Amino acid sequence: MKLNSSTLKLSEFLPYRLSITSNLVSRYIASAYSERFGLTIPQWRVIAILGEGIEQTSKGLVDLTKMDKVAVSRAVSQLVTKKLVRRIAVQTDGRLALVRLSKQGKDLYEEISPLALDLERKLLDQLSDQEIQDLHKILDKLGHSVPEIQV
């Protein structure tokens, strides 16, 4: 692949390739928990964040999942309807609510987590230990550099 080319080739354009790979991986994993648990990708991401044990505001969920406000709001509302999460009003600020997993949501998280980790292992089986370490470093480096890049 030639870098710094003046001609855009979408198949070689890094942002496109990252997006395609991300979509493929998300769909691969989502198919498992969609069929079995009836969850969408945004719903699973919210559950996964909350499953780490810290309740979040909707804004916190937006920041952590890197999804837009509408997707997070819709996912949270659907999860409330499914009784997988609860909204708890913040007493000091009536406009804010914290979102936390319900007992059902915690149980679901505990059931899905091993499945998600197994799917991750299957994906990573394609790579050596060094490639996995390199991939994590590269993704971290790219992720941290995006806000600094001037458009």
Side-chain angles (χ1 to χ4, degrees):
M1 174 174 22
K2 187 177 179 183
L3 295 178
N4 298 324
S5 172
S6 61
T7 305
L8 174 66
K9 283 192 171 183
L10 194 57
S11 64
E12 296 176 2
F13 186 55
L14 181 64
Y16 174 76
R17 294 188 69 200
L18 288 171
S19 177
I20 293 301
T21 303
S22 173
N23 290 341
L24 287 170
V25 170
S26 286
R27 276 192 234 123
Y28 166 71
I29 293 174
S31 67
Y33 51 74
S34 172
E35 292 171 18
R36 223 163 127 182
F37 304 103
L39 296 174
T40 64
I41 292 169
Q43 289 170 353
W44 165 241
R45 287 182 184 167
V46 167
I47 287 175
I49 292 292
L50 296 174
E52 293 179 13
I54 301 170
E55 52 196 27
Q56 296 289 332
T57 63
S58 289
K59 181 178 179 342
L61 289 168
V62 167
D63 293 343
L64 291 168
T65 62
K66 305 299 186 226
M67 295 187 302
D68 65 70
K69 290 188 286 188
V70 173
V72 169
S73 177
R74 186 176 296 127
V76 169
S77 292
Q78 292 163 341
L79 291 169
V80 166
T81 299
K82 292 180 179 194
K83 299 186 182 340
L84 296 173
V85 302
R86 295 180 19 211
R87 283 189 184 112
I88 295 98
V90 175
Q91 291 181 345
T92 57
D93 187 344
R95 299 168 293 168
L96 284 180
L98 293 172
V99 181
R100 76 167 61 136
L101 289 179
S102 65
K103 169 74 169 98
Q104 267 183 276
K106 288 177 187 174
D107 292 345
L108 182 65
Y109 175 77
E110 294 299 323
E111 188 176 350
I112 295 177
S113 291
L115 173 64
L117 290 171
D118 185 52
L119 292 170
E120 178 190 44
R121 269 190 290 281
K122 288 177 183 174
L123 278 169
L124 293 177
D125 278 347
Q126 314 305 309
L127 305 174
S128 70
D129 288 345
Q130 186 60 55
E131 288 172 325
I132 293 168
Q133 288 177 9
D134 292 344
L135 176 62
H136 282 283
K137 285 179 189 172
I138 290 166
L139 291 173
D140 287 344
K141 194 171 192 176
L142 289 174
H144 293 305
S145 71
V146 169
E148 299 169 8
I149 297 173
Q150 298 294 318
V151 181

